[in-house]
Amino acid sequence: MPQLAVVVPVFNERDNLSPLLAEIAAALHGTVDYELIVVDDQSVDGSHEILVAQKGRYPQLRVLRHDRRSGQSTAVWHGVYAARSPWVVTLDGDGQNDPADIVKLLEARQQAVPEVKLFAGWRTMRRDSLKKRLSSKIANAVRASMLGDATPDSGCGLKLFERELFLRLPYFDHMHRYLPALCRRAGFQSQSVPVGHRPRTAGYSKYGLFDRLWVGLADLCGVAWLMRRSRLSHIEEL
């Protein structure tokens, strides 16, 4: 069985897929036994055909496809559910996350205490447009003030976590942006790890200022409610 599952959600990233798969294979070669699960969220630009064609080149590659557009969080959830590995790392399909940073997360896990179940990438130098950086900065500030999750960059797609814990978390659309808070709610810890960030070289961003601020407000209030209603205690068997 593989030790690590790499889960990549994809929507209309045709020109980024082949370079990204090659980088993942190069980064993990000889490092860990892994499976690579790409979940296509009903792309219409030929992404699915490219992925199927690449299966002969990468024996670790598994291609899943939604039967309708379902969003990034659902793609991540289905990829994690399909994984056979005890640990999962996610990264975006646009090529802005550097697959070489997966090794940084694995090294952080080796040095961490067992209570840390989530290692979240922290993009210390963003390579996005001013509008996107501003919206993310505001969203992170609002989220941190409401949830107190001590996470500087909750929106980074590069994350390493225990599969069993993830599947125990409450599922909802956009949940991938709140994993540190949900991990804390479940009684465990998260750790932020500085990682690189690259400019997009092909395609276009699927998210704008409206998506990041106003659409997420209901989710933020919902997560805050979940954390307030959580009641955890330590138990012992007699």
Side-chain angles (χ1 to χ4, degrees):
M1 298 295 289
Q3 300 171 313
L4 178 71
V6 182
V7 173
V8 184
V10 164
F11 175 65
N12 287 352
E13 297 290 357
R14 176 189 59 199
D15 296 328
N16 292 311
L17 291 175
S18 294
L20 180 60
L21 296 179
E23 284 190 289
I24 294 173
L28 297 181
H29 179 71
T31 301
V32 62
D33 292 330
Y34 70 97
E35 58 183 337
L36 173 54
I37 304 174
V38 181
V39 185
D40 177 21
D41 191 26
Q42 269 291 310
S43 295
V44 295
D45 67 341
S47 292
H48 181 71
E49 290 74 14
I50 290 176
L51 289 170
V52 172
Q54 293 287 334
K55 289 184 66 176
R57 184 174 183 182
Y58 302 104
Q60 302 92 343
L61 178 61
R62 302 168 58 190
V63 179
L64 310 181
R65 191 182 193 189
H66 286 161
D67 61 359
R68 61 178 180 175
R69 279 294 312 281
S70 302
Q72 185 175 353
S73 281
T74 303
V76 169
W77 193 94
H78 280 140
V80 176
Y81 184 80
R84 298 168 294 174
S85 314
W87 283 83
V88 176
V89 64
T90 62
L91 69 160
D92 293 335
D94 57 13
Q96 290 194 258
N97 298 137
D98 188 347
D101 285 329
I102 296 175
V103 178
K104 291 183 181 180
L105 300 184
L106 294 173
E107 291 174 348
R109 183 189 66 177
Q110 291 178 345
Q111 301 171 9
V113 297
E115 289 76 17
V116 180
K117 300 292 187 181
L118 169 66
F119 300 85
W122 175 12
R123 298 165 292 183
T124 54
M125 186 66 70
R126 295 289 298 269
R127 302 295 184 182
D128 288 317
S129 66
L130 177 61
K131 178 180 178 181
K132 194 171 181 180
R133 284 185 280 119
L134 178 62
S135 64
S136 292
K137 185 174 182 179
I138 295 174
N140 276 318
V142 173
R143 188 210 70 252
S145 65
M146 290 187 63
L147 303 183
D149 56 6
T151 304
D153 186 11
S154 180
C156 181
L158 188 60
K159 293 183 176 71
L160 172 68
F161 48 80
E162 190 179 62
R163 176 180 181 270
E164 180 182 359
L165 168 64
F166 179 90
L167 294 177
R168 288 168 48 193
L169 301 179
Y171 163 78
F172 55 91
D173 196 16
H174 299 134
M175 69 171 289
H176 65 282
R177 296 186 178 278
Y178 301 96
L179 289 183
L182 295 173
C183 178
R184 180 179 176 185
R185 176 182 179 271
F188 297 99
Q189 302 175 23
S190 65
Q191 177 180 331
S192 294
V193 180
V195 297
H197 192 238
R198 308 184 293 192
R200 177 185 273 274
T201 58
Y204 61 94
S205 175
K206 315 303 187 297
Y207 307 99
L209 183 64
F210 180 81
D211 301 294
R212 293 176 182 275
L213 295 180
W214 307 118
V215 173
L217 184 59
D219 298 326
L220 181 59
C221 293
V223 174
W225 181 87
L226 283 172
M227 295 188 71
R228 289 196 305 269
R229 301 298 293 176
S230 177
R231 293 293 182 269
L232 292 176
S233 61
H234 296 286
I235 61 172
E236 61 177 339
E237 184 174 350
L238 303 178

